[in-house]
Amino acid sequence: KVLNKSEVKWSFEELGGGVCGLQPGDRMMLVLPRLPEWWLVSVACMRTGAVMIPGVSQLTEKDLKYRLQASRAKSIITSDSLAPRVDAISADCPSLQTKLLVSDSSRPGWMNFRELLREASTEHDCVRTKAQDPLAIYFTSGTTGAPKMVEHSQASYGLGFVASGRQWVALTESDIFWNTTDTAWVKAAWTLFSAWPNGSCIFVHELPRVDAKVILKTLSRLPITTLCCVPTLFRLLVQEDLTRYQFQSLRHCLTGGEALNPDVREKWKSQTGLELHEGYGQSETVVICANPKGTKIKSGSMGKASPPYDVQIVDDEGNILPPGAEGNVAVRVRPDRPFCFFNCYLDNPEKTAASEQGDFYITGDRARMDKDGYFWFMGRNDDVINSASYRIGPVEVESALAEHPAVLESAVVSSPDPIRGEVVKAFIVLSPAYSSHDPEELTRELQEHVKRVTAPYKYPRKVAFVSELPKTVSGKIQRSKLRSQEWKK
Ligand SMILES: Nc1ncnc2c1ncn2[C@@H]1O[C@H](COP(=O)(O)OP(=O)(O)OP(=O)(O)O)[C@@H](O)[C@H]1O
């Protein structure tokens, strides 16, 4: 149902009817901004057995070529903005046979999705798939290097999100769920599998630009009950005066994808009265740890192991470490492979094998588990700083900095030092009110502040004020970029 020129509402019945003629096992690249058709095509892929490969609309010609060639996708569905870039490289992608455009206008060489949909029969038999048949291929965020192809199965992607979503996302028939993530990321699957099997409605906003005011106004105008945003977005939202907004129906808020600074959670909570429930996971795993609704939250912790995962902290040989010890976050995958765990890194058996050690899959993240089973994130393996034999997790320093009103956001990385080997360097984006302060004075003040709120050895010996931080399109801080700049100097 078209609500007005810019809003559309579909019932479950209408959604189920959509199909797009692909054969089981064929791969389709699905690059749409947050348009309702993304959900329609996802359902169509499941019904036809086509394997979907979501991507971001900001992909350049080079990114597109890499993805289409690596995945050997037979088809691509996208919108007007990306179509010219696809045309520019499609001659180099021999597997690509069909191009579908979601648009009100036509384009030579492309089929028009909206026209096809109008003419499509509503009669359709769903294909029967096996649990291990592929359902989706995801390119990871590329936070640490070239994106990897993660293959999920009908079970890992479908059932995985149903299971882990039950407690954490906790949706019911009376909920309206708004997840602001880009459709390219695994997190978008929460809107498919955590919402619909529970009969809950999802709300989609195209959000062409990230704008805190638009998000806050939308929450005030519409009866959205459950909100999920990445921490970067919550960092922006808490910069606003939240007491000026009255959210109609909001009662459950979720975040994940990178570390949530305790200060952001506390600001959100004190101004809205709503708790922020953090989850931790990877494209490969669905949710590994979470703070489900109704459980005790320890500020700064990413929660406890999320069933069915057995999560442990292990040393570099794969031995389980006792509570309190820092080590690798690992998920038990033997003797029984958890059903929500990905199939493999596509076409990369070496990488798939290298990600496991003994009975465990090694996430590449470092953390501690306390005696109550709560996990405390330190950083990605490569991001942990070794300074004069102290190991420092960047997140702890960033969270300490976040408590100072001058800091809008920061990224902490290692920087070379002739005496200590490496030292802590903080790249800081200042809040507008502090932008004209004397940098040297502010540096000293922030260093003293960190020494006060966390162990003094963690304080940033070097500080740089920057206008923005390098981020992936999913909004994650790319510390690796800053680190390599430092070490190349
Ligand atoms: N709640 C959280 N706290 C801290 N870090 C998190 C949290 N949730 C996710 N992460 C980080 O995000 C990673 C998973 O992200 P994703 O699967 O999108 O790929 P990526 O690691 O960002 O990209 P790439 O593998 O291409 O470098 C985790 O391994 C972890 O480092």
Side-chain angles (χ1 to χ4, degrees):
K1 188 164 85 176
V2 177
L3 297 179
N4 60 43
K5 226 176 110 209
S6 59
E7 293 179 9
V8 62
K9 187 174 182 175
W10 284 332
S11 67
F12 280 120
E13 200 181 353
E14 287 164 309
L15 266 179
V19 282
C20 55
L22 280 178
Q23 298 305 310
D26 285 351
R27 295 175 186 164
M28 170 185 249
M29 215 167 152
L30 170 53
V31 192
L32 291 175
R34 300 173 192 87
L35 291 178
E37 277 85 355
W38 186 86
W39 282 264
L40 194 59
V41 177
S42 301
V43 173
C45 284
M46 288 173 225
R47 292 177 70 96
T48 55
V51 182
M52 62 184 204
I53 311 171
V56 279
S57 301
Q58 295 92 327
L59 292 176
T60 62
E61 287 173 17
K62 185 167 157 262
D63 299 334
L64 266 171
K65 192 158 102 180
Y66 166 69
R67 283 162 174 74
L68 284 167
Q69 287 179 344
S71 67
R72 299 183 299 281
K74 273 200 176 158
S75 169
I76 185 163
I77 180 161
T78 192
S79 55
D80 289 318
S81 63
L82 202 77
R85 276 172 262 161
V86 177
D87 282 339
I89 49 95
S90 39
D92 298 325
C93 306
S95 307
L96 187 65
Q97 291 168 8
T98 327
K99 296 187 279 190
L100 283 149
L101 191 66
V102 177
S103 167
D104 291 327
S105 48
S106 57
R107 186 177 175 89
W110 291 71
M111 294 197 286
N112 187 293
F113 177 77
R114 287 183 178 147
E115 272 169 27
L116 288 173
L117 188 64
R118 272 195 291 278
E119 289 154 19
S121 162
T122 50
E123 299 279 311
H124 171 68
D125 290 326
C126 262
V127 292
R128 294 177 72 85
T129 45
K130 295 202 172 70
Q132 290 313 309
D133 287 348
L135 192 154
I137 297 167
Y138 275 91
F139 284 86
T140 56
S141 309
T143 315
T144 50
K148 300 169 282 222
M149 278 191 287
V150 171
E151 184 183 273
H152 270 287
S153 67
Q154 302 283 330
S156 65
Y157 190 82
L159 273 182
F161 280 91
V162 176
S164 59
R166 200 158 278 161
Q167 282 187 314
W168 182 55
V169 191
L171 294 167
T172 66
E173 274 177 28
S174 52
D175 284 313
I176 300 181
F177 180 34
W178 184 14
N179 181 350
T180 60
T181 182
D182 191 281
T183 53
W185 312 117
V186 168
K187 290 170 211 76
W190 296 112
T191 57
L192 293 169
F193 299 108
S194 302
W196 290 344
N198 292 313
S200 96
C201 170
I202 59 161
F203 168 73
V204 182
H205 194 307
E206 195 181 350
L207 277 179
R209 275 182 318 112
V210 176
D211 185 331
K213 288 198 172 63
V214 169
I215 296 177
L216 297 171
K217 279 187 190 148
T218 306
L219 290 171
S220 311
R221 189 171 72 84
L222 297 174
I224 290 153
T225 62
T226 310
L227 174 71
C228 182
C229 299
V230 286
T232 301
L233 210 47
F234 278 108
R235 277 202 289 272
L236 263 187
L237 295 184
V238 298
Q239 295 298 314
E240 302 288 319
D241 178 3
L242 298 175
T243 55
R244 289 183 48 224
Y245 297 87
Q246 196 166 17
F247 304 145
Q248 258 200 44
S249 311
L250 193 62
R251 54 193 164 86
H252 188 40
C253 304
L254 306 149
T255 193
E258 63 174 349
L260 171 71
N261 308 117
D263 184 64
V264 174
R265 171 182 165 254
E266 275 144 32
K267 281 190 181 136
W268 178 260
K269 196 175 169 183
S270 67
Q271 292 203 61
T272 64
L274 293 162
E275 188 52 88
L276 245 181
H277 298 261
E278 183 180 354
Y280 155 80
Q282 298 188 316
S283 306
E284 291 86 336
T285 58
V286 184
V287 161
I288 301 176
C289 293
N291 287 287
K293 213 174 175 176
T295 56
K296 179 183 162 191
I297 292 184
K298 294 194 187 184
S299 200
S301 157
M302 55 195 189
K304 292 187 182 185
S306 181
Y309 281 131
D310 173 3
V311 188
Q312 299 289 345
I313 300 295
V314 302
D315 66 15
D316 292 341
E317 278 73 51
N319 304 305
I320 297 177
L321 292 172
E326 178 214 317
N328 302 305
V329 181
V331 171
R332 191 183 294 279
V333 291
R334 277 193 207 89
D336 298 317
R337 204 176 164 84
F339 65 86
C340 40
F341 193 60
F342 76 123
N343 271 359
C344 61
Y345 293 112
L346 202 66
D347 301 332
N348 202 339
E350 298 81 22
K351 172 132 196 70
T352 309
S355 67
E356 291 179 19
Q357 192 164 50
D359 291 346
F360 291 98
Y361 161 77
I362 309 294
T363 59
D365 292 321
R366 307 280 296 181
R368 288 188 305 269
M369 185 184 74
D370 68 18
K371 58 179 178 11
D372 302 323
Y374 283 78
F375 286 83
W376 300 79
F377 186 79
M378 268 197 85
R380 289 163 191 263
N381 216 347
D382 303 338
D383 287 342
V384 174
I385 303 159
N386 265 311
S387 184
S389 78
Y390 283 111
R391 290 176 56 75
I392 301 164
V395 172
E396 290 168 301
V397 186
E398 291 161 13
S399 291
L401 283 165
E403 285 182 39
H404 194 285
V407 178
L408 186 61
E409 57 180 359
S410 69
V412 165
V413 300
S414 77
S415 176
D417 180 83
I419 297 159
R420 291 181 173 79
E422 48 187 285
V423 291
V424 176
K425 175 160 182 179
F427 289 85
I428 297 174
V429 180
L430 288 174
S431 342
Y434 284 78
S435 55
S436 51
H437 279 221
D438 174 44
E440 278 179 24
E441 228 171 79
L442 210 46
T443 298
R444 276 194 299 278
E445 190 178 322
L446 289 168
Q447 288 172 325
E448 289 311 311
H449 164 82
V450 174
K451 284 187 199 167
R452 253 195 327 274
V453 299
T454 182
Y457 69 84
K458 292 179 197 162
Y459 88 93
R461 285 173 192 271
K462 297 186 188 174
V463 172
F465 297 110
V466 290
S467 57
E468 58 179 4
L469 299 173
K471 287 186 183 167
T472 62
V473 269
S474 59
K476 297 187 192 203
I477 297 171
Q478 289 174 302
R479 295 182 191 83
S480 58
K481 279 204 173 154
L482 295 170
R483 190 173 52 240
S484 44
Q485 268 173 32
E486 282 306 295
W487 287 85
K488 261 193 225 135
K489 272 182 192 169

